[in-house]
Amino acid sequence: MLGLLDAWLPAQRWYPVKGLVVRHVPWMSFALSDRCTLHLLRIVGEGVDLVIQVPLVLTPAGPLPGPAGPGGGGAGGTGARPSGTSRTPVPGLVGFVPSTPGGRGGPDAPLAVHDGATHPDLWAALLGSLERARDPGAVPGGAGALLVDLSGARPVGGEQSNSSVVLPATAGGSILKILRTVAIGPNPDVVVPAALARVGWTGVPRPLGWVEAGWGALDVPSGAPALGPDRTAHLAILSELVTDARDGFELACAYAAQDSSFADLAADLGRTLASMHRALRVALPTGPPLEAGWLLDDLRRRAREACASSLPLGRRADQVEAFLDGVSDRLAREDAPPPVLQAIHGDMHLGQALHALGDGWKVLDFEGEPLRPVAERTRPDLPLRDVAGIVRSLDYAAAVGGARSPRWTTTARTAFVEAYRRAIGEDDGTAGLSDATTEAILRALILDKALYEVVYESRNRPAWEPIPLTAVDRLLGGR
C-alpha cells in the first residue's frame, strides 16, 4: 500500500511539498468501517516534517478498469492490476493491491484502492463520526443526531490544500472539508469560525461539526518522534453551505477578463474584512502590542529563506534587505503607540471568500497557510496581513483573468484598501500611526506575501512565477 501511495501522492494537487526529496512514513490509522480507513502519514525530509491525511476506501476489484498510469487514475504498475481490464481512468482510483490470504475477496482477488475524499462510503463514515457543534446558535436544530442524506453529493474541484464535498441534502445544505495537511492540536478552522458564530458575526458559514481524532502516548508507534504535547487533531469539518454563491477569485477573474470594474465588490469586501477583524477582537483574546524589532526580524527571516529558495529572488536579495532597512527606519521614527496584535484570518485571498447575491461576502478557511508551523499560523498578528493578502490576490486575478488595462488592478486595490480603512476606524489599533508608517507596514507585508508566492509558484506552477515576481520588482522599485 505504501508503495502505491508513494507513486500517487506527489501528483495530487493538494500534496503540500513538491520538488523536494521526502519519504512517507506511516504514523497512525483510524478505521471508520471495514472499508474506510483514515491514514495519517508523516512527510519527512530535510527541513520538512508534516502530517498528511490520506483517507482510503478498499473494495473488491471485480471488473473495475485498471489505472491510467502516473497522474491519471492509478499508480502506473505499482501494485496488482486485474488482467484483461482496460486502462480507462476511474475518478478517485489510486490503484490495486493484492488482498491478504483470508482477506476481502479471497487470497487471489486484488483490492481496488480509492481516494476516500471522492467516495460516498467515506463521506457517510465521516458524517457518522461527526461531533456536533455544541452551540445551538451555530447549528440548525442544535446538537443531536445528524440526518445524513448523500443525495446530490459531489466533490468540489479546483481546491489546492484540502478536499471538500458539497452535501446539499445534509443539515439543510452543508459542505464537508476533509483536511489534507493535518495540524496537531485544535485546528483554527474549527476554533475561529465557532468563536465568530458565538459573537453573532454572520460573515462566516456556521460550523456544524467536526471529526476529531485522539490518541494516548502509548498509541504512537514505537520510534515515532513526538510532534508536541497535543494528542488530538481535527480531520474533517462540516460547515453550512453558502448557496448561490461564487468563488471570489473566479468572480474577480471574470470581471478582469471583461475589463469590468471590480471596485464596488472590492470595497464591499474591504468593509466585510474590517467587520471580521472587529468581531475577532471580541471573540478571541488579543495579543501584546507590536514590537517593531520582532516584526522586522520575522520579515527578514522569511525573506532570507525565500531568497535562498529561489534563484530569481536570490538575485534581488540585496534590494530586499534595503527595502526592509527602509521600513525599519520608518518604524524607528514613529512616535505613536504601537498597534495591538489580534487574531486574524492568516491566509486571506479572494479564493477564501464567497460572494452571494443579496447576502454579500462570506469568509472561509481560517486554518492559515498550511506550510507554516501551527504556532506561527495561530499567533496574534497584524490585521494588515489579511489586507495584504487580498491586495496580492487582486493582482493574481488581473493576471489570470487577462485584464488589458493596469488600471483594473489599481482601481480595485484602491477601492478595497480605502473601504477597509474607513470601516475599521480605530478598531485595528493603528489609528494613531502616521499614514506613512501604516503604508510602510502594509507594503512590507505585501512584499512578504509576494516572496512566499514566488517560492510557491516555482515549485508548483512555474508558468505563474512571473506574476508575483513582477510584484516584487514593483515594490522594490517603490511603485
Side-chain angles (χ1 to χ4, degrees):
M1 180 74 77
L2 188 60
L4 191 69
L5 294 176
D6 283 341
W8 178 78
L9 284 169
Q12 305 314 301
R13 189 171 183 183
W14 51 262
Y15 188 69
V17 291
K18 293 181 172 69
L20 300 178
V21 178
V22 296
R23 68 185 190 278
H24 304 127
V25 180
W27 193 52
M28 280 189 286
S29 298
F30 299 89
L32 301 182
S33 70
D34 62 345
R35 293 160 62 101
C36 305
T37 304
L38 307 178
H39 297 282
L40 299 187
L41 306 180
R42 290 174 51 236
I43 301 179
V44 180
E46 185 175 354
V48 177
D49 194 346
L50 300 172
V51 177
I52 61 170
Q53 178 181 196
V54 186
L56 297 177
V57 176
L58 301 185
T59 63
L64 282 177
T78 303
R81 184 167 69 90
S83 60
T85 58
S86 71
R87 296 184 62 80
T88 304
V90 175
L93 181 64
V94 178
F96 299 88
V97 293
S99 65
T100 57
R104 304 176 186 90
D108 298 320
L111 297 173
V113 182
H114 306 267
D115 176 12
T118 68
H119 203 287
D121 284 5
L122 191 281
W123 306 341
L126 281 174
L127 292 170
S129 303
L130 202 71
E131 177 183 344
R132 297 292 299 277
R134 293 186 178 90
D135 180 5
V139 185
L146 182 73
L147 180 61
V148 176
D149 186 344
L150 298 184
S151 301
R154 64 186 185 279
V156 175
E159 287 193 300
Q160 293 182 13
S161 57
N162 294 300
S163 299
S164 295
V165 184
V166 173
L167 303 165
T170 295
S174 57
I175 185 165
L176 177 66
K177 180 161 72 172
I178 301 168
L179 301 174
R180 292 295 196 170
T181 301
V182 175
I184 306 303
N187 192 297
D189 205 21
V190 171
V191 175
V192 178
L196 287 170
R198 282 196 298 271
V199 299
W201 193 67
T202 60
V204 60
R206 290 173 297 177
L208 306 178
W210 46 82
V211 175
E212 185 176 14
W215 58 90
L218 297 179
D219 295 328
V220 179
S222 175
L227 294 178
D230 290 302
R231 292 177 182 153
T232 64
H234 288 101
L235 303 182
I237 304 168
L238 185 72
S239 301
E240 171 191 29
L241 179 65
V242 182
T243 57
D244 300 323
R246 293 190 67 180
D247 174 277
F249 185 70
E250 294 178 359
L251 182 63
C253 287
Y255 272 69
Q258 299 297 321
D259 266 332
S260 298
S261 175
F262 196 67
D264 288 345
L265 285 168
D268 191 28
L269 180 56
R271 290 186 286 270
T272 299
L273 187 62
S275 174
M276 183 192 78
H277 285 153
R278 291 198 303 271
L280 283 170
R281 288 174 70 87
V282 176
L284 294 168
T286 56
L290 172 69
E291 293 183 7
W294 167 83
L295 175 63
L296 266 297
D297 287 347
D298 193 54
L299 291 172
R300 289 188 195 279
R301 173 183 62 81
R302 286 157 46 139
R304 289 166 183 166
E305 290 174 354
C307 290
S309 301
S310 163
L311 288 176
L313 292 182
R315 293 192 290 268
R316 295 161 171 82
D318 291 344
Q319 292 173 272
V320 172
E321 290 285 349
F323 178 97
L324 294 176
D325 286 343
V327 176
S328 180
D329 291 344
R330 177 68 254 174
L331 289 174
R333 295 195 300 272
E334 181 60 56
D335 296 327
V340 173
L341 304 180
Q342 66 162 86
I344 65 170
H345 185 283
D347 189 25
M348 195 68 211
H349 55 79
L350 289 167
Q352 307 285 43
L354 297 175
H355 187 267
L357 291 176
D359 203 21
W361 291 98
K362 299 279 189 179
V363 182
L364 315 171
D365 296 336
F366 286 82
E367 59 186 316
E369 294 178 355
L371 297 189
R372 297 206 190 281
V374 176
E376 188 176 315
R377 289 189 260 156
T378 57
R379 70 190 180 193
D381 205 336
L382 286 167
L384 285 178
R385 195 178 295 278
D386 287 343
V387 176
I390 294 294
V391 169
R392 290 296 312 125
S393 195
L394 289 167
D395 198 30
Y396 265 79
V400 176
R404 292 182 290 278
S405 169
R407 284 185 54 81
W408 187 93
T409 311
T410 56
T411 301
R413 180 172 62 234
T414 300
F416 165 73
V417 173
E418 289 184 354
Y420 175 85
R421 286 176 172 167
R422 286 194 298 269
I424 198 67
E426 299 183 3
D427 284 345
D428 71 341
T430 65
L433 298 181
S434 67
D435 290 344
T437 298
T438 301
E439 181 65 19
I441 294 173
L442 178 58
R443 287 174 62 82
L445 294 173
I446 294 171
L447 177 64
D448 177 66
K449 184 71 172 176
L451 295 174
Y452 173 88
E453 291 165 351
V454 171
V455 176
Y456 178 88
E457 301 300 2
S458 68
R459 293 175 177 173
N460 295 274
R461 298 177 297 199
W464 285 27
E465 187 183 39
I467 299 174
L469 195 56
T470 298
V472 169
D473 289 337
R474 184 171 63 246
L475 290 159
L476 295 179
R479 304 190 303 279

